[in-house]
Amino acid sequence: YNRYFNRSGFPIILKIMIPELTTTAFIITLSMIVFLIKRYNLFIPDLKKSIDTILLTMSDSFFILDKDLNIKIINNSVSKLLHYSESEIINKNIILFISEKSLRHFNKIIKFSILNDYIVKDEEILFLTKEDKEITVSFSSSLIKDKNMIIGLLLIVRDITTRKNLENLLEASNESFINIIEKNIEGIVIVDKNGFINYINPIAKKYLNLEENTILVKFPYQTDKYSLEEIEINVSADQKGIGELITIPTKWKKEDSFLVLIRDITTRKEIEKNLVKSLKEKENMLSEIHHRIKNNLQIIMSLLKLPLRFNDKEPILKTILLDAQSRIKTISLIHEMLYNRSNFFDINFKEYIQELIKFLLYFFKEENNIIVEFDIEDIKFDSDTSISCGLIITELFTNSIKYAFKEKENNEEKKIAISFKKYDNSIVFIYKDNGIGLNKDFNINEINTTGFYLIKLLALERLQGNLEVKSENGLEYKISFKIKEDYL
């Protein structure tokens, strides 16, 4: 309390700051107020202003009751708490403002306090507001005596509705949390940084083959930051399984700890094992299919060679049969590459084209006569796209040998350039030779050869691309087409 002095030098009390309602604060407050009541006889009406001044800044609700529990003095907080005016409260019995649910408890506590001269501390009851709304309060009380005679009762009340709601919410949250953790299908263990267990749920005990009431002191596995490993777990009384151990750094009671999750992955591992086995079987099957296709195409090529053994004097027949063989080999080469690799869906296109040109040079006996330059990026295509591009190159290469270099002398350089470039989601393919080219007034739509028809069919329809032909210092074909989304 604050003490001020008048002119005569005698102290007078103007204001007392009443502490919040805690056990220690209440005892101090209660003792001080009882002393003031006894010292200044605060039940005298003329001194009511003094008690109003004392209680002006008190945040808790303050009641002074006579020995019959009638309300004699209150502070402003009481009106705020109960929504009554002071005149509606004064001289009313306190029990009128207490819920029926709490009356029995309140009377019991007050009776015990009077009989035993007992200070009541932090008892919870329900008060009633003017609107008959129940509010939860905590009250403390003490007897007021004068010469060992009870003359009244001091009551300090605090609204704890918000606190109770939070406590109930926290209790419900804790119950839900415990229910989730205890009944979780995953093992949950809290381990401190030294490897000692702070908490373990029932399923984790089962996985680690522990009795229900066993207290495990040391965690049997190594814990590390964000680690992941597989361990053997106890799935049932007579069955072992595979568990996934996940370690995550956390806090437990403000100390650095690890949250360890133990997950049963026995079924998943069995499924993975079966999938790997099934995939291997399918890979073997695909490999065998590609192998058989390649062999069958080789047989067809051999059959096409037979007529030439008996009749190689017909140039048209010879040309047709040789062209057919080169086209079949172009397709056969794809299946040969797929057979020799584990990936049956992606073709290393650069490698494929180099192998194809190597074959064509050998097939047409031009290994030492033609220089082939490659400018091919590392691109992967599916088999359909690779075959289409391979057939186009085969036709263009065949045309270069048949027509472009026909009038060149043996000592003249014969050169072919093949380029595949990737631009965003498109491929630009350029094939160019330094042969004689076409007439300056050529019209691409008027070229009616079988080879050119096949080129247009593959470029425009199969690849859904564009075709441009230029005849400057040789012949240049430019084909651009979109890449499938899987190969972007």
Side-chain angles (χ1 to χ4, degrees):
Y1 57 89
N2 298 326
R3 176 174 290 182
Y4 294 80
F5 294 84
N6 59 14
R7 292 179 180 178
S8 61
F10 293 101
I12 59 172
I13 296 175
L14 296 177
K15 181 172 68 173
I16 295 177
M17 298 293 291
I18 305 298
E20 297 295 325
L21 191 62
T22 63
T23 302
T24 305
F26 171 73
I27 293 172
I28 297 172
T29 303
L30 206 60
S31 302
M32 183 171 58
I33 292 175
V34 169
F35 167 77
L36 290 171
I37 291 171
K38 291 173 64 177
R39 175 69 179 80
Y40 294 104
N41 195 9
L42 292 181
F43 280 135
I44 299 173
D46 291 343
L47 295 177
K48 186 177 184 301
K49 290 183 180 179
S50 298
I51 195 67
D52 285 344
T53 303
I54 294 171
L55 303 175
L56 183 64
T57 57
M58 187 173 180
S59 61
D60 294 319
S61 298
F62 182 94
F63 297 83
I64 293 181
L65 314 176
D66 64 19
K67 61 182 179 179
D68 297 320
L69 305 184
N70 294 314
I71 302 170
K72 293 301 180 181
I73 298 174
I74 62 171
N75 65 349
N76 292 336
S77 295
V78 175
S79 296
K80 294 178 182 178
L81 177 70
L82 301 179
H83 302 166
Y84 287 101
S85 65
E86 182 178 357
S87 61
E88 293 174 311
I89 297 175
I90 296 298
N91 295 322
K92 300 290 194 306
N93 197 284
I94 190 71
I95 65 173
L96 296 176
F97 303 98
I98 298 175
S99 170
E100 290 184 6
K101 298 176 184 177
S102 299
L103 270 179
R104 184 177 178 182
H105 178 65
F106 178 78
N107 289 329
K108 181 179 178 181
I109 292 294
I110 296 301
K111 184 178 180 181
F112 181 83
S113 173
I114 293 173
L115 291 176
N116 297 279
D117 195 10
Y118 176 74
I119 295 177
V120 179
K121 293 178 287 185
D122 296 331
E123 287 291 334
E124 291 185 12
I125 60 171
L126 295 172
F127 263 41
L128 285 175
T129 66
K130 190 173 184 178
E131 300 80 17
D132 286 331
K133 179 183 177 182
E134 292 180 339
I135 55 174
T136 307
V137 301
S138 173
F139 82 92
S140 300
S141 68
S142 179
L143 301 178
I144 302 173
K145 292 182 179 182
D146 184 22
K147 297 178 181 179
N148 293 324
M149 290 184 60
I150 299 174
I151 61 173
L153 196 69
L154 173 64
L155 221 65
I156 298 178
V157 176
R158 170 175 289 181
D159 182 4
I160 60 169
T161 305
T162 303
R163 191 188 82 189
K164 289 297 292 184
N165 289 339
L166 290 174
E167 287 177 356
N168 293 335
L169 181 62
L170 182 60
E171 183 178 355
S173 299
N174 286 338
E175 288 178 0
S176 299
F177 175 76
I178 292 171
N179 189 51
I180 291 170
I181 295 299
E182 291 290 310
K183 296 182 179 179
N184 203 296
I185 61 172
E186 292 185 352
I188 298 175
V189 189
I190 303 293
V191 184
D192 68 17
K193 58 185 179 182
N194 296 316
F196 291 98
I197 290 178
N198 289 319
Y199 170 81
I200 181 169
N201 72 344
I203 192 70
K205 288 185 177 181
K206 173 188 171 184
Y207 286 158
L208 299 176
N209 199 20
L210 300 171
E211 297 296 331
E212 186 62 32
N213 297 323
T214 300
I215 299 176
L216 190 64
V217 177
K218 191 83 172 178
F219 190 63
Y221 298 99
Q222 190 71 27
T223 54
D224 197 7
K225 187 176 182 181
Y226 298 112
S227 64
L228 177 64
E229 62 177 304
E230 292 182 4
I231 63 171
E232 184 181 79
I233 61 172
N234 189 57
V235 178
S236 62
D238 56 352
Q239 183 183 358
K240 298 293 182 182
I242 302 172
E244 187 176 61
L245 198 72
I246 305 170
T247 305
I248 305 169
T250 187
K251 292 281 187 181
W252 180 266
K253 297 180 180 179
K254 299 183 180 181
E255 295 292 332
D256 290 335
S257 303
F258 293 99
L259 169 64
V260 181
L261 302 178
I262 307 174
R263 181 178 299 153
D264 182 5
I265 59 170
T266 308
T267 303
R268 191 186 83 190
K269 295 298 288 185
E270 189 65 29
I271 292 172
E272 287 177 359
K273 182 180 177 181
N274 291 333
L275 283 174
V276 170
K277 181 181 177 182
S278 176
L279 182 61
K280 189 65 178 175
E281 290 174 352
K282 287 179 173 57
E283 286 178 351
N284 292 335
M285 187 182 300
L286 280 171
S287 180
E288 183 62 24
I289 289 171
H290 287 299
H291 182 58
R292 292 192 179 189
I293 292 174
K294 184 201 73 169
N295 288 344
N296 290 337
L297 291 172
Q298 292 287 359
I299 292 171
I300 294 172
M301 286 182 65
S302 298
L303 291 173
L304 292 174
K305 291 178 182 179
L306 285 177
L308 295 177
R309 289 186 178 183
F310 305 102
N311 188 358
D312 60 351
K313 304 299 183 182
E314 295 291 335
I316 296 177
L317 177 62
K318 185 177 180 179
T319 299
I320 292 172
L321 292 175
L322 289 175
D323 288 348
Q325 288 180 56
S326 63
R327 290 164 186 164
I328 292 172
K329 181 61 180 181
T330 301
I331 299 171
S332 173
L333 190 59
I334 288 288
H335 293 283
E336 185 177 345
M337 294 183 70
L338 291 172
Y339 169 68
N340 292 324
R341 284 160 178 75
S342 58
N343 191 333
F344 296 103
F345 302 99
D346 297 336
I347 303 293
N348 187 319
F349 191 70
K350 182 176 182 179
E351 184 180 342
Y352 167 63
I353 295 302
Q354 289 173 341
E355 286 292 322
L356 177 60
I357 294 299
K358 183 178 178 181
F359 162 75
L360 293 173
L361 288 170
Y362 169 78
F363 185 77
F364 290 105
K365 297 179 174 56
E366 296 286 351
E367 300 103 308
N368 301 319
N369 300 324
I370 299 176
I371 299 172
V372 181
E373 295 177 347
F374 298 99
D375 186 13
I376 302 174
E377 294 182 355
D378 288 328
I379 304 169
K380 293 187 182 298
F381 287 144
D382 58 49
S383 57
D384 287 344
T385 304
S386 298
I387 289 173
S388 298
C389 293
L391 287 171
I392 291 173
I393 290 174
T394 300
E395 294 303 317
L396 295 175
F397 190 88
T398 303
N399 287 340
S400 295
I401 292 173
K402 288 181 180 179
Y403 309 111
F405 304 136
K406 190 175 182 180
E407 298 182 7
K408 278 187 175 285
E409 299 293 335
N410 291 332
N411 59 352
E412 290 186 79
E413 184 181 61
K414 301 174 183 178
K415 185 184 291 186
I416 293 173
I418 300 174
S419 169
F420 273 85
K421 294 287 186 180
K422 184 178 178 181
Y423 298 94
D424 295 329
N425 62 339
S426 297
I427 290 290
V428 176
F429 159 40
I430 298 175
Y431 177 97
K432 185 175 182 180
D433 63 42
N434 65 342
I436 60 174
L438 298 174
N439 296 328
K440 293 183 180 180
D441 56 348
F442 80 95
N443 187 337
I444 189 173
N445 295 318
E446 294 179 356
I447 302 175
N448 295 318
T449 63
T450 304
F452 191 73
Y453 174 78
L454 180 59
I455 291 169
K456 287 199 296 184
L457 182 68
L458 292 168
L460 303 180
E461 297 187 19
R462 190 73 177 272
L463 296 176
Q464 296 289 303
N466 298 315
L467 172 63
E468 299 176 27
V469 181
K470 294 181 181 179
S471 183
E472 297 176 3
N473 300 320
L475 198 58
E476 178 182 302
Y477 292 82
K478 181 179 179 181
I479 300 172
S480 57
F481 59 92
K482 299 287 185 182
I483 306 175
K484 293 182 179 179
E485 289 186 4
D486 293 342
Y487 297 91
L488 288 177

